[in-house]
Amino acid sequence: MIVAQQGRLEYEALVFAASFRHFNRDFPGRLLIAEPQPGPRWSRDPRIGNDALRALLTEAFGAEILPFESRHFGESYPYGNKIEALAALPPDRPFVFFDTDTLITGDLSQVPFDFDRPSASRRVEGTWPQIELYGPGYTATWKALYDRFGLDFDSSLDLSWPDEYWRRYLYFNAGFFYYRDAAEFGRRFTDYALSIRDDRPAELVCQSLDPWLDQVALPLVIHGLGGGRDALPEGWLDGTHSCHYRVLPLAYAREGQRAIDVLEEVTAPNRIKKVLKAYEPIKRMIYQGKGQKARALFDRENLPRREQAIRNTLKREKLWLR
């Protein structure tokens, strides 16, 4: 499942679907594209607005559009789409969620998922919490959350990392996650996210939850359902079989050549190109060669340690397009 709506995400959804079917022609499951519906939490209609794009998704790539209601988040926190969309999935069936800005680069039936032990993307920087000089540290902040939901904090720790270093604590990127039952995962994800948002523990008073709320709640959900950081062997997702590029300029700047080759191959057919060119960043990065110009600025074997440094270079060269 991915989530798509009017604007950038609908075009990313088409790239995702094209790459998915390229490598998963005989996939035995379903490709579901969750679509938020109009309602009081949206100031305008959030549904996919490009009819030609919708037709490609459903007719050419066999995707099913899955409507869902925005009861808790909507426009004020669009990252909540991935939380609320789970309620629309069939219960008691394994699922894998991907962020829409993901490229599929292999046959997903080869990935050794253990759906009884959920996990999520470990391609993450230490973005949360941001420790204040006189405020609670990592241990106090995370332990307050585990205590809130009656979870065992100590068993979540990776003791190979030192105390008060962010990697010691269970933390994921929400670019993908999976479990055996979408309804159960979604209920817990919703309950935890709303509790943290609406009644945050005192230890979180100085912490920003926008846009981090989903990534704060996610490790608690995964730990509570018996999963963890080691549930999926490394190298499959965010590796040989998927690439969470997030922003096209970042993809060209730092991803491996195979991912770029896949991106340009699956977007080359005229029927896809005709639709994608309506979105200016894709038109300029893929079809007008700006992506290759961005790629030439960086040595993939010696990238800056911090993503912000890559972003700053791209912005300086007027190649930050989203």
Side-chain angles (χ1 to χ4, degrees), residues 226-239:
R229 58 176 65 80
D230 61 344
L232 180 67
E234 289 191 70
W236 293 91
L237 300 186
D238 295 330

PDB file of all heavy atoms in Angstrom, residues 226-239:
ATOM      1  N   GLY A 226       5.844  -7.031  19.189  1.00  0.00           N
ATOM      2  CA  GLY A 226       6.829  -8.108  19.180  1.00  0.00           C
ATOM      3  C   GLY A 226       7.868  -8.025  18.082  1.00  0.00           C
ATOM      4  O   GLY A 226       8.602  -8.986  17.843  1.00  0.00           O
ATOM      5  N   GLY A 227       7.958  -6.873  17.426  1.00  0.00           N
ATOM      6  CA  GLY A 227       8.950  -6.701  16.377  1.00  0.00           C
ATOM      7  C   GLY A 227      10.177  -5.984  16.885  1.00  0.00           C
ATOM      8  O   GLY A 227      10.389  -5.821  18.084  1.00  0.00           O
ATOM      9  N   GLY A 228      11.001  -5.513  15.929  1.00  0.00           N
ATOM     10  CA  GLY A 228      12.201  -4.808  16.340  1.00  0.00           C
ATOM     11  C   GLY A 228      13.096  -4.493  15.176  1.00  0.00           C
ATOM     12  O   GLY A 228      12.766  -4.732  14.011  1.00  0.00           O
ATOM     13  N   ARG A 229      14.266  -3.999  15.515  1.00  0.00           N
ATOM     14  CA  ARG A 229      15.220  -3.544  14.497  1.00  0.00           C
ATOM     15  C   ARG A 229      15.822  -4.690  13.703  1.00  0.00           C
ATOM     16  O   ARG A 229      16.289  -4.496  12.585  1.00  0.00           O
ATOM     17  CB  ARG A 229      16.326  -2.699  15.151  1.00  0.00           C
ATOM     18  CG  ARG A 229      17.090  -3.393  16.232  1.00  0.00           C
ATOM     19  CD  ARG A 229      18.234  -2.564  16.786  1.00  0.00           C
ATOM     20  NE  ARG A 229      17.823  -1.352  17.471  1.00  0.00           N
ATOM     21  CZ  ARG A 229      17.377  -1.298  18.726  1.00  0.00           C
ATOM     22  NH1 ARG A 229      17.214  -2.424  19.419  1.00  0.00           N
ATOM     23  NH2 ARG A 229      17.059  -0.146  19.283  1.00  0.00           N
ATOM     24  N   ASP A 230      15.850  -5.890  14.272  1.00  0.00           N
ATOM     25  CA  ASP A 230      16.497  -7.023  13.608  1.00  0.00           C
ATOM     26  C   ASP A 230      15.503  -7.982  12.965  1.00  0.00           C
ATOM     27  O   ASP A 230      15.871  -9.084  12.539  1.00  0.00           O
ATOM     28  CB  ASP A 230      17.356  -7.789  14.611  1.00  0.00           C
ATOM     29  CG  ASP A 230      16.522  -8.365  15.761  1.00  0.00           C
ATOM     30  OD1 ASP A 230      15.370  -7.922  15.943  1.00  0.00           O
ATOM     31  OD2 ASP A 230      17.028  -9.247  16.477  1.00  0.00           O
ATOM     32  N   ALA A 231      14.227  -7.583  12.864  1.00  0.00           N
ATOM     33  CA  ALA A 231      13.207  -8.509  12.363  1.00  0.00           C
ATOM     34  C   ALA A 231      13.338  -8.772  10.868  1.00  0.00           C
ATOM     35  O   ALA A 231      12.959  -9.842  10.388  1.00  0.00           O
ATOM     36  CB  ALA A 231      11.812  -7.959  12.677  1.00  0.00           C
ATOM     37  N   LEU A 232      13.861  -7.815  10.117  1.00  0.00           N
ATOM     38  CA  LEU A 232      14.069  -7.994   8.681  1.00  0.00           C
ATOM     39  C   LEU A 232      15.561  -7.870   8.400  1.00  0.00           C
ATOM     40  O   LEU A 232      16.175  -6.857   8.751  1.00  0.00           O
ATOM     41  CB  LEU A 232      13.302  -6.933   7.893  1.00  0.00           C
ATOM     42  CG  LEU A 232      13.427  -7.006   6.363  1.00  0.00           C
ATOM     43  CD1 LEU A 232      12.767  -8.267   5.830  1.00  0.00           C
ATOM     44  CD2 LEU A 232      12.814  -5.770   5.705  1.00  0.00           C
ATOM     45  N   PRO A 233      16.168  -8.877   7.766  1.00  0.00           N
ATOM     46  CA  PRO A 233      17.600  -8.773   7.449  1.00  0.00           C
ATOM     47  C   PRO A 233      17.893  -7.534   6.617  1.00  0.00           C
ATOM     48  O   PRO A 233      17.103  -7.137   5.753  1.00  0.00           O
ATOM     49  CB  PRO A 233      17.873 -10.058   6.653  1.00  0.00           C
ATOM     50  CG  PRO A 233      16.806 -11.017   7.079  1.00  0.00           C
ATOM     51  CD  PRO A 233      15.591 -10.172   7.351  1.00  0.00           C
ATOM     52  N   GLU A 234      19.023  -6.920   6.901  1.00  0.00           N
ATOM     53  CA  GLU A 234      19.404  -5.714   6.169  1.00  0.00           C
ATOM     54  C   GLU A 234      19.737  -6.036   4.717  1.00  0.00           C
ATOM     55  O   GLU A 234      20.113  -7.153   4.368  1.00  0.00           O
ATOM     56  CB  GLU A 234      20.620  -5.064   6.843  1.00  0.00           C
ATOM     57  CG  GLU A 234      20.316  -4.421   8.183  1.00  0.00           C
ATOM     58  CD  GLU A 234      21.466  -3.562   8.671  1.00  0.00           C
ATOM     59  OE1 GLU A 234      21.688  -2.495   8.066  1.00  0.00           O
ATOM     60  OE2 GLU A 234      22.137  -3.968   9.635  1.00  0.00           O
ATOM     61  N   GLY A 235      19.584  -5.011   3.873  1.00  0.00           N
ATOM     62  CA  GLY A 235      20.017  -5.122   2.497  1.00  0.00           C
ATOM     63  C   GLY A 235      18.924  -5.403   1.491  1.00  0.00           C
ATOM     64  O   GLY A 235      19.156  -5.306   0.277  1.00  0.00           O
ATOM     65  N   TRP A 236      17.714  -5.736   1.957  1.00  0.00           N
ATOM     66  CA  TRP A 236      16.616  -6.023   1.041  1.00  0.00           C
ATOM     67  C   TRP A 236      15.854  -4.744   0.705  1.00  0.00           C
ATOM     68  O   TRP A 236      15.924  -4.247  -0.422  1.00  0.00           O
ATOM     69  CB  TRP A 236      15.688  -7.075   1.643  1.00  0.00           C
ATOM     70  CG  TRP A 236      16.318  -8.415   1.772  1.00  0.00           C
ATOM     71  CD1 TRP A 236      17.012  -8.915   2.851  1.00  0.00           C
ATOM     72  CD2 TRP A 236      16.332  -9.445   0.781  1.00  0.00           C
ATOM     73  NE1 TRP A 236      17.450 -10.184   2.591  1.00  0.00           N
ATOM     74  CE2 TRP A 236      17.050 -10.552   1.334  1.00  0.00           C
ATOM     75  CE3 TRP A 236      15.807  -9.562  -0.509  1.00  0.00           C
ATOM     76  CZ2 TRP A 236      17.245 -11.740   0.623  1.00  0.00           C
ATOM     77  CZ3 TRP A 236      16.001 -10.748  -1.207  1.00  0.00           C
ATOM     78  CH2 TRP A 236      16.710 -11.808  -0.654  1.00  0.00           C
ATOM     79  N   LEU A 237      15.103  -4.234   1.690  1.00  0.00           N
ATOM     80  CA  LEU A 237      14.432  -2.953   1.501  1.00  0.00           C
ATOM     81  C   LEU A 237      15.395  -1.837   1.893  1.00  0.00           C
ATOM     82  O   LEU A 237      16.222  -1.998   2.795  1.00  0.00           O
ATOM     83  CB  LEU A 237      13.141  -2.885   2.323  1.00  0.00           C
ATOM     84  CG  LEU A 237      12.104  -3.953   1.984  1.00  0.00           C
ATOM     85  CD1 LEU A 237      10.810  -3.703   2.766  1.00  0.00           C
ATOM     86  CD2 LEU A 237      11.808  -4.014   0.478  1.00  0.00           C
ATOM     87  N   ASP A 238      15.298  -0.710   1.214  1.00  0.00           N
ATOM     88  CA  ASP A 238      16.347   0.316   1.297  1.00  0.00           C
ATOM     89  C   ASP A 238      17.675  -0.286   0.856  1.00  0.00           C
ATOM     90  O   ASP A 238      18.745   0.067   1.366  1.00  0.00           O
ATOM     91  CB  ASP A 238      16.490   0.892   2.712  1.00  0.00           C
ATOM     92  CG  ASP A 238      15.258   1.656   3.168  1.00  0.00           C
ATOM     93  OD1 ASP A 238      14.562   2.227   2.309  1.00  0.00           O
ATOM     94  OD2 ASP A 238      14.987   1.672   4.385  1.00  0.00           O
ATOM     95  N   GLY A 239      17.598  -1.216  -0.077  1.00  0.00           N
ATOM     96  CA  GLY A 239      18.798  -1.899  -0.542  1.00  0.00           C
ATOM     97  C   GLY A 239      18.590  -2.423  -1.950  1.00  0.00           C
ATOM     98  O   GLY A 239      18.377  -1.662  -2.883  1.00  0.00           O
TER      99      GLY A 239
END
